[in-house]
């Protein structure tokens, strides 16, 4: 039932102005076969991958977590990003989902898995030491290869530990908001409830309908990262 509702939400999001546009699809990339090497003098490993549509990704990984950066066709790479988390250990999954049309990729969806005790756990043990847990977040990154300043940026984060069918929710958000998104310094909004996803997509749908009925010069730029 939830998958059906999500699909209807996606159709609503495309109703204005994108019904006539090509429907996006997914391709996948495995990062576990990419070249990795240890940074000199640091307990950090860097992984570099040439992926889809002339995009490159870079991962910095250590014992406690990993961060990702992007570059397009040899451009300067972006800053590294790690999603907000509360557990001590973590890292990006080896499989990346790329949302694209025949014109190329416009977004990625990448799972970040955190495990272990809380970062606030008592390192000496005892009742406040915390139990081993797991958190899953889906990071939606907007890709803008035509930008001269920043070709990619984190757009939204979906808390897959709390939202059922989080992958479908992430695709809806990526397909609705990533195409044409202009990156800035906004922190990506973290969705923890499916109702927040519905409300954000519906508000954007209504905004686009209102702008279509207004002046010819009305902006159709996606909203900032935080709804």
């Amino acid at each position: 039932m939830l998958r059906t509702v999500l699909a209807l939400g996606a159709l609503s999001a495309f109703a204005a102005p994108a019904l006539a546009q090509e429907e996006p699809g997914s391709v996948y990339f495995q990062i576990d076969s990419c070249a990795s090497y240890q940074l000199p003098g640091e307990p950090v490993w860097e992984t570099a991958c040439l992926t889809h549509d002339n995009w490159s990704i870079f991962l910095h990984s250590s014992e406690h977590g990993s961060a990702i950066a992007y570059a397009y066709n040899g451009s300067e790479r972006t800053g590294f990003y790690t999603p907000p988390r509360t557990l001590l250990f973590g890292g990006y999954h080896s499989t990346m989902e790329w949302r694209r049309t025949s014109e190329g990729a416009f977004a990625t969806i990448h799972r970040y898995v955190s495990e272990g005790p809380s970062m606030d756990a008592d390192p000496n043990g005892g009742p406040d030491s915390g139990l081993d847990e797991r958190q899953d977040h889906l990071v939606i990154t907007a890709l803008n290869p035509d930008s001269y300043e920043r070709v990619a940026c984190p757009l939204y984060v979906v808390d897959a530990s709390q939202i059922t069918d989080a992958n479908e929710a992430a695709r809806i958000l990526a397909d609705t908001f990533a195409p044409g998104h202009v990156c800035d310094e906004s922190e990506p909004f973290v969705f923890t409830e499916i109702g927040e996803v519905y409300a954000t997509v519906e508000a954007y749908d209504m905004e686009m309908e209102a702008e279509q009925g207004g002046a010819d010069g009305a902006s159709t730029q996606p909203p900032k990262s935080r709804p």
Side-chain angles (χ1 to χ4, degrees), residues 21-198:
Q21 295 181 359
E22 177 186 356
E23 185 174 349
S26 290
V27 294
Y28 297 87
F29 184 82
Q30 300 293 326
I31 64 176
D32 51 2
S33 60
C34 298
S36 296
Y37 59 92
Q38 187 172 2
L39 297 182
E42 297 184 44
V44 176
W45 287 81
E46 178 167 296
T47 301
C49 305
L50 179 62
T51 63
H52 298 289
D53 302 313
N54 293 319
W55 284 95
S56 298
I57 62 164
F58 305 87
L59 290 165
H60 279 178
S61 304
S62 67
E63 179 183 4
H64 291 292
S66 62
I68 193 168
Y70 290 75
Y72 178 73
N73 199 25
S75 70
E76 182 178 353
R77 68 187 181 189
T78 65
F80 283 87
Y81 177 73
T82 301
R85 65 204 193 283
T86 60
L87 302 183
L88 193 57
F89 306 104
Y92 282 98
H93 195 273
S94 60
T95 301
M96 293 184 70
E97 180 175 1
W98 294 69
R99 295 297 287 173
R100 69 186 307 278
T101 65
S102 59
E103 296 182 355
F106 60 84
T108 66
I109 301 171
H110 202 177
R111 183 177 293 267
Y112 192 96
V113 181
S114 301
E115 296 179 298
S118 168
M119 292 181 181
D120 298 326
D122 184 353
N124 299 316
D128 296 326
S129 60
L131 300 175
D132 284 351
E133 301 178 29
R134 171 170 169 154
Q135 296 174 335
D136 285 48
H137 291 98
L138 299 180
V139 180
I140 303 162
T141 299
L143 307 178
N144 188 356
D146 296 327
S147 173
Y148 290 102
E149 296 183 359
R150 196 175 178 190
V151 294
C153 58
L155 180 60
Y156 289 122
V157 177
V158 175
D159 189 338
S161 298
Q162 300 191 55
I163 296 180
T164 305
D165 274 349
N167 287 301
E168 291 296 329
R171 293 185 189 111
I172 292 171
L173 291 167
D175 295 352
T176 303
F177 297 109
H181 178 74
V182 177
C183 292
D184 56 22
E185 298 303 319
S186 299
E187 287 295 318
F189 183 80
V190 181
F191 288 95
T192 59
E193 298 179 1
I194 193 63
E196 295 176 313
V197 176
Y198 294 151

